[in-house]
Amino acid sequence: MLVKISDIKIKKRVRKDLGDLEGLKDSLKLYGLLNPITINSKYELVAGERRLNAAKELGWEKINANILDES
């Protein structure tokens, strides 16, 4: 599902340092997003913080996401 990046909420995360995103940004430019991020039904990020931040830095307004059903 395509979702607006501005709607995604990032709660407390385990990873403190996202590392160098340049290689990931190059890959996103060349191939697009091959593995969607994962969010829950409240649009809280579950997985894919590096991909999300790389997309933000590239100026993307929307990103492909898998939405987990919490039931």
Side-chain angles (χ1 to χ4, degrees):
M1 169 182 223
L2 205 56
V3 298
K4 288 176 56 176
I5 288 177
S6 60
D7 290 342
I8 299 171
K9 302 168 197 78
I10 300 175
K11 299 290 185 174
K12 186 176 178 183
R13 309 290 297 169
V14 172
R15 180 181 288 204
K16 304 292 184 214
D17 180 13
L18 297 179
D20 183 17
L21 297 177
E22 291 307 312
L24 181 53
K25 290 189 319 191
D26 290 343
S27 176
L28 289 176
K29 284 189 271 189
L30 186 60
Y31 302 110
L33 183 66
L34 300 177
N35 187 17
I37 65 167
T38 304
I39 59 177
N40 63 22
S41 60
K42 297 176 188 171
Y43 281 60
E44 296 169 339
L45 185 67
V46 174
E49 187 174 13
R50 292 188 80 242
R51 286 168 278 158
L52 179 62
N53 278 290
K56 282 182 186 177
E57 288 183 17
L58 289 173
W60 291 14
E61 294 182 14
K62 295 183 179 182
I63 192 165
N64 231 347
N66 293 324
I67 300 178
L68 294 177
D69 183 5
E70 295 179 33
S71 59

